[in-house]
Amino acid sequence: MGTWCRMSPMDQGSGHGMFEILGISFNKTYDSPNPRRAHSIMSAEDINAGKRSYWPELEITGTIRNLSPELWKLQHLTSLYLNDNNLSRIPPEICRLEHLTYLDLSSNKLRSLPAELGDMIILRELLLNNNYLRVLPYELGKLFQLQNLGLKGNPLSAEILSIYSEPNGTQKLLTYMLDHLTVNCPQPEPRQWVVLEQPDRSKPIAVFTVMCYNVLCDKYATRQIYGYCPSWALNWEYRRKGIMDEIRQYAADILSLQEVETDQFFNFFLPELQRDGYDGIFSPKSRAKTMGETERKFVDGCAIFYRTSKFSLVKKHLVEFNQLAMANAEGSDNMLNRVMTKDNIGLAALLETKEAIFDNGAPADPAAARQPILICTAHMHWDPEFCDVKLIQTMMLMSELKTIAEESSHSFRPGSHAPDVNSIPTLLCGDLNSLPDSGVVEFLRAGRVVTTHADFKDLCYSTVLRKLSSAEKSGDDFTHSFKLERAYDNEVMPYTNYT
């Protein structure tokens, strides 16, 4: 047929004039019309030395009408040039090339496209110029990383071409298609409660449930960040109904929420949950103090809700990490420039139990039914580049919780001599923005972290952080005083977030 293919390799080749892949002859030399397709040919010396070839790009050029199924096995490809052929269809199996970032299907005879193209979500460029396309599958809207969509020379509808011709037309068209895509995905499986301990039903025992949820503040739910979500799914009016349905489905006794917008707390979450028998506390991030009333309404923060039939609020505690950083900086530029500039917060509620929390009857002594419990939620800084900030914020939080627990221990047990922070049950929830192998999780789980931990990034925090450690003489470790147990291990959930 006079058809030939060429690869854009990295040190690729056999050293011979022709070689074959998929039963098609490849020519080792060509003039590339596209500077992207730079290539090199291994020398005889390279071959003799055992140097391996690698070719992430493939071009098939000629009067091709059909494609071999063997092509879809080349899953290492990052670029595929099928332009200037006589292809009238592209098989759905093309989605198996899951590493493609560049796909050129221009100048063929395509009249339709497989919906499976929308599954190739790492595509950056998709060229469909000069075909016979009258419609596009809405599934293309799922290509949220696409930067260049070539559609010129196709008899598409006036509506599609109008959107495409606007400034930033590619992104607007992708949004349009995603918003009009019919979503048929199955509902996720119900979340399963993680039972920490089987209660002894032979005596009165306090049993309660806890739910922790980052509700995603409305101002962060943008197409720029969540390009794979339809606009309607990001809309707060739609999302807040789903969030409240989820909360009501599980009906936990304590709710720990992050990224709650100030206005949404007072005008949505609090009144809605009060109708369901809850009360709650809230605090916005520290930046709210510097804003006017209008701007302050849109600042997000942390909230704790508790079922009033089982708990009463004793005291609310706010932990402002930027204020603690300033107080502990002692002239450290890193504390002032890296930690103090982040306005994340922690929020704690000292609660007291009521008789309704007990299964199998209330305790005989009414005073025994009123037990203190410390609930804390926090939202640590998000940026992976600031792992030092996350760890220091966690150390600050545990130091403040120690102070709160000691004060509470004196209040509830005035006759005790040395306050014991572990005498008051403490529940720590939050969005730590940290991986299981991070310094944050190690510090919480083990109760200590070495002063030279990699997450500190060799930024010389050791001296200024020493006062945050629970033990004055803790050697090469920073420590905290709480004996924490994890609510779930790494095997419970394959992931807790998908972005």
Side-chain angles (χ1 to χ4, degrees), residues 394 398 428 432 439-447 480 482 484:
T394 305
M398 300 312 293
L428 175 59
L432 304 180
V440 167
V441 175
E442 179 181 335
F443 179 67
L444 292 175
R445 183 186 67 248
H480 68 73
F482 293 86
L484 299 178

Side-chain angles (χ1 to χ4, degrees), residues 214-279:
N214 183 322
V215 299
L216 183 58
C217 180
D218 185 36
K219 66 182 177 183
Y220 303 141
T222 65
R223 282 276 300 166
Q224 287 73 26
I225 301 176
Y226 300 98
Y228 50 83
C229 281
S231 300
W232 55 264
L234 294 172
N235 181 273
W236 175 246
E237 295 301 316
Y238 171 84
R239 290 199 302 115
R240 76 176 194 171
K241 179 183 182 301
I243 292 169
M244 194 56 65
D245 288 346
E246 187 90 348
I247 289 174
R248 285 174 170 146
Q249 177 181 349
Y250 295 101
D253 298 314
I254 293 174
L255 306 174
S256 161
L257 305 181
Q258 303 85 43
E259 286 196 23
V260 177
E261 199 173 84
T262 301
D263 187 64
Q264 294 299 328
F265 173 80
F266 290 105
N267 294 313
F268 175 66
F269 284 104
L270 185 59
E272 286 288 325
L273 289 170
Q274 281 178 332
R275 283 194 284 271
D276 293 339
Y278 294 89
D279 203 353

Side-chain angles (χ1 to χ4, degrees), residues 16-34:
H16 304 289
M18 303 287 290
F19 58 100
E20 292 193 356
I21 292 181
L22 311 182
I24 304 173
S25 296
F26 288 74
N27 195 315
K28 74 172 184 178
T29 61
Y30 64 94
D31 295 322
S32 174
N34 188 330

Side-chain angles (χ1 to χ4, degrees), residues 357-372:
I357 198 175
F358 288 89
D359 278 5
N360 201 34
D365 181 3
R370 299 192 300 273
Q371 296 292 325

